[in-house]
């Protein structure tokens, strides 16, 4: 039998050390287009997101990215697409691959947009820089050629994903890279040339790509995508982070701040806006989405008193399902393992399969037999259908042997009348229909298979 005591202990310790707060009930910043690779910038009272634009067809197996969009918001919830403000065609020396960029305000008050592009010269990806007089541009090529290319001494094996940071003394730094090759350099005050040597920073454990640098309370933070098996399934990435007391390191790895998402790539932007910190990232959870049809989304991020970051709760897997009464219910349970997340069952996420715990999962390992989850509403709801998406981690949690939907009739829990059967299939929502009941509480009794516990990724209820 598999043992998860070490994980349980670590998770229980984490729960003791951190406080749990409500997350932003989010959705993608848009479903009109597919967006990816966010960078965030606050100017005045406006939050700007600079994103890539995924244009791969349904089922496409490669990135199709030709331009970048700017989104603006004054509440970090509703975003306005200001349009494609920069395009591959702005760089006469480049031909394709409008990948992950970032905008930084220069000492001259202009806005510099650093972007990886496929140059027409030798090698693959280069980093170019455009400039504009406002956060919305218009932007033009600021240099007329790459700022970083394969011919830059000590450049990364893949020169992509620049993050640009200005320190309090005005010195500007750029980190970038992929294929495990993180690089850093000082930029000159003109924002368009490198000052000194390109260095290989130390201590950034399991760096893969997508660095994002910021400073808080005198501490430098570097968040980045890592794809090691300790934090993500093969082919997927989590977001780890490191801290330092010097902008060029050495860095100290601090842990995972964002678990893997529903897209294979993962890409962070961390920013404080109107007194609240946010994690902006992308996933594949929008309708028709995929690894090359991603959507930028945003969730709140919290710091612990010691400056470490709490793991972000992913609330924004896609638009809410119309009529799903679970969205307004308070969940409870007979038992949840300390490292699992009861709140996952009504976060509105549509799992990709029964092993998809990218939005957390409810699980009751190592209990066996019958456990229950329940929804409560402050006022009576008329309910005639529920849909359960079972969690199966291929370890101690398996599909249930059986289940039963019950409701509170005012004095006791009783089976819902005319129940159509309670399905236990994997990788799908199992619908149970019944004669409508009016109740403040709906309960799902779940009975395990011998030797296993049970879990739920999402449980919906409808009138
Ligand atoms: O969007 C193309 C590439 O995928 C980005 O440059 C990486 O960060 C990854 O998200």
């Amino acid at each position: 039998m598999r043992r998860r005591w070490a994980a349980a202990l670590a998770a229980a310790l984490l729960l003791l050390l951190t406080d749990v707060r409500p997350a932003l009930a989010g959705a993608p910043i848009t479903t009109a287009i597919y967006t990816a690779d966010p960078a965030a910038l606050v100017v005045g009272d406006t939050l700007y997101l600079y994103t890539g634009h995924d244009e791969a067809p349904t089922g496409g197996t490669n990135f199709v990215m030709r331009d970048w969009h700017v989104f603006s918001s004054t509440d970090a919830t509703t975003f306005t697409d200001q349009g494609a403000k920069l395009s591959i065609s702005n760089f006469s020396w480049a031909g394709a691959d409008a990948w992950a960029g970032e905008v930084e305000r220069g000492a001259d008050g202009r806005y510099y947009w650093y972007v990886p592009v496929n140059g027409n010269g030798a090698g693959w990806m280069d980093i170019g820089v455009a400039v504009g007089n406002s956060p919305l541009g218009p932007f033009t090529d600021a240099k007329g050629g790459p700022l970083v290319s394969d011919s830059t001494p000590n450049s990364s094996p893949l020169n992509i994903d620049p993050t640009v940071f200005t320190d309090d003394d005005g010195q500007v730094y750029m980190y970038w890279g992929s294929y495990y090759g993180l690089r850093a350099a000082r930029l000159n005050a003109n924002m368009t040339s490198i000052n000194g040597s390109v260095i290989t920073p130390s201590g950034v454990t399991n760096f893969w790509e997508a660095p994002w640098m910021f400073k808080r309370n005198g501490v430098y933070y570097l968040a980045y995508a890592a794809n090691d098996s300790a934090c993500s399934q093969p082919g997927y990435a989590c977001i780890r982070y490191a801290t330092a007391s010097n902008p060029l390191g050495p860095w100290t790895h601090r842990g995972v701040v964002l678990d893997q998402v529903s897209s294979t790539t993962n890409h962070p932007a961390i920013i404080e806006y109107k007194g609240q910190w946010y994690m902006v990232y992308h996933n594949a959870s929008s309708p028709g989405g995929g690894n090359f049809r991603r959507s930028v989304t945003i969730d709140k991020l919290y710091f612990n008193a010691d400056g470490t970051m709490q793991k972000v709760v992913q609330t924004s897997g896609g638009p809410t399902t119309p009529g799903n009464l679970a969205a307004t219910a308070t969940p409870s349970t007979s038992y949840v393992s300390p490292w699992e997340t009861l709140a996952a069952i009504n976060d509105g996420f549509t799992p990709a399969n029964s092993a998809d715990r990218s939005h957390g999962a409810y699980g009751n390992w190592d209990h066996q037999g019958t456990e229950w989850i329940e929804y409560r509403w402050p006022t009576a709801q008329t309910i005639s259908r529920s849909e359960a998406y079972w969690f199966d981690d291929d370890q101690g949690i398996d599909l249930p042997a059986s289940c039963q939907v019950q409701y509170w009739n005012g004095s006791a829990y009783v089976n819902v009348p005319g129940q159509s059967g309670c399905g236990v299939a994997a990788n799908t929502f199992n619908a149970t229909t019944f004669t409508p009941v009016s109740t403040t509480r709906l309960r799902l009794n779940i009975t395990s298979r011998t030797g296993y516990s049970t879990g739920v990724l999402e449980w919906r209820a409808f009138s």
Side-chain angles (χ1 to χ4, degrees), residues 45-259:
D45 72 344
T46 303
L47 172 62
Y48 292 96
L49 300 184
Y50 297 83
T51 78
H53 180 194
D54 276 342
E55 296 187 89
T58 306
T61 54
N62 281 305
F63 293 120
V64 178
M65 304 179 80
R66 305 181 180 97
D67 56 29
W68 297 266
H69 279 236
V70 187
F71 292 81
S72 62
S73 175
T74 53
D75 59 8
T77 301
T78 306
F79 288 85
T80 302
D81 186 355
Q82 302 287 350
K85 297 293 185 184
L86 189 64
S87 154
I88 287 291
S89 61
N90 287 104
F91 300 98
S92 60
W93 47 274
D97 298 334
W99 287 10
E102 182 173 332
V103 173
E104 183 72 351
R105 191 169 187 266
D108 60 1
R110 305 179 84 198
Y111 295 84
Y112 291 84
W113 198 340
Y114 299 83
V115 287
V117 289
N118 188 342
N120 292 325
W124 180 12
M125 296 298 284
D126 303 323
I127 295 174
V129 53
V131 65
N133 287 331
S134 86
L136 294 176
F139 292 94
T140 55
D141 187 354
K143 193 173 171 70
L147 170 62
V148 174
S149 71
D150 287 351
S151 60
T152 304
N154 191 37
S155 68
S156 171
L158 187 59
N159 291 302
I160 64 170
D161 296 1
T163 178
V164 179
F165 165 78
T166 306
D167 210 347
D168 305 331
D169 62 2
Q171 177 62 58
V172 183
Y173 299 87
M174 184 168 84
Y175 278 72
W176 75 95
S178 182
Y179 290 175
Y180 308 110
L182 177 64
R183 298 292 185 266
R186 291 183 174 85
L187 295 188
N188 287 310
N190 64 12
M191 303 293 276
T192 59
S193 57
I194 285 177
N195 176 355
S197 309
V198 172
I199 70 152
T200 303
S202 66
V204 188
T205 305
N206 294 336
F207 173 85
W208 167 246
E209 63 182 10
W212 175 266
M213 187 179 180
F214 66 98
K215 189 178 185 181
R216 179 180 178 270
N217 292 344
V219 177
Y220 301 91
Y221 289 77
L222 193 71
Y224 55 94
N227 59 6
D228 56 282
S229 60
C231 79
S232 59
Q233 295 170 324
Y236 287 77
C238 74
I239 301 300
R240 293 186 177 277
Y241 75 103
T243 60
S245 55
N246 183 297
L248 289 175
W251 295 89
T252 303
H253 175 247
R254 298 293 182 191
V256 175
V257 62
L258 180 67
D259 285 328

Side-chain angles (χ1 to χ4, degrees), residues 262 285 316-318 344 347-352 356 358-359 429 457-458 460:
S262 51
S285 300
S316 38
D347 68 359
F349 181 58
T350 300
D356 178 4
S358 61
H359 277 231
F429 278 101
L457 294 176
E458 194 73 21
R460 299 167 171 170

